[in-house]
């Protein structure tokens, strides 16, 4: 009597477990994709770790950046890796550490200077001197 019952219940149990596993797997895959930092779909005004290298520790520390003209404090471009879009309502906060001229990459949340991309003298630097 147990044998016919097992023949009916076993496939149903295996199917239910497989379905639950597929749901959990899809949820984990979606969550992992949400946490990944993606590069910009179109080139930014200046390319570097802030726009292309999603594995960089700096990219995780500063996921949203503004590219600013230092001379005018005018926003040139922005990128937020978390939303995979331009920074919503960017605010440029000039700080005393900024050079007078050049193209700067600054943290969108704090305004910290992250990189000097172009200086008038043609020099470029990856990180500001401290």
């Amino acid at each position: 009597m147990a044998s016919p019952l097992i023949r009916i219940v076993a496939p149903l149990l295996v199917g239910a477990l497989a379905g639950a596993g597929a749901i959990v797997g899809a949820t984990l895959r979606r969550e992992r994709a949400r946490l990944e930092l993606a590069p910009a779909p179109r080139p930014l005004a200046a390319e570097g770790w802030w726009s292309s290298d999603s594995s960089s520790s700096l990219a995780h520390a500063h996921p949203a950046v503004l590219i600013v003209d230092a001379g005018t404090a005018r926003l040139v471009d922005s990128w937020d890796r978390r939303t995979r879009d331009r920074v919503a309502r960017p605010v440029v906060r000039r700080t005393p550490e900024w050079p007078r001229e050049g193209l700067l990459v600054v943290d969108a949340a704090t305004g910290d200077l992250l990189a000097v991309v172009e200086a008038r003298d043609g020099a470029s630097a990856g990180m500001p001197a401290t």
Side-chain angles (χ1 to χ4, degrees), residues 92-99 104 106 110-113:
V92 177
R93 297 176 194 91
R94 182 185 287 273
T95 62
E97 68 188 20
W98 285 12
L104 311 175
V106 298
T110 64
D112 292 342
L113 178 62

Side-chain angles (χ1 to χ4, degrees), residues 24-124:
V24 169
T27 302
L28 292 175
R29 193 170 35 255
R30 203 171 29 248
E31 183 68 18
R32 190 175 315 122
R34 186 181 69 78
L35 294 175
E36 289 177 358
L37 301 177
R42 70 174 174 83
L44 299 177
E47 297 291 325
W49 61 260
W50 54 88
S51 63
S52 60
D53 187 8
S54 61
S55 65
S56 168
S57 61
L58 287 172
H60 285 278
H62 306 284
V65 297
L66 305 176
I67 301 172
V68 179
D69 181 343
T72 62
R74 183 181 62 84
L75 180 68
V76 175
D77 209 345
S78 66
W79 181 245
D80 189 340
R81 294 169 168 275
R82 296 164 297 194
T83 61
R84 295 182 174 100
D85 201 2
R86 296 318 195 237
V87 175
R89 296 180 303 282
V91 177
V92 177
R93 297 176 194 91
R94 182 185 287 273
T95 62
E97 68 188 20
W98 285 12
R100 293 179 190 236
E101 295 178 348
L103 196 59
L104 311 175
V105 178
V106 298
D107 187 279
T110 64
D112 292 342
L113 178 62
L114 302 176
V116 178
V117 181
E118 282 179 18
R120 286 278 184 198
D121 60 2
S124 295

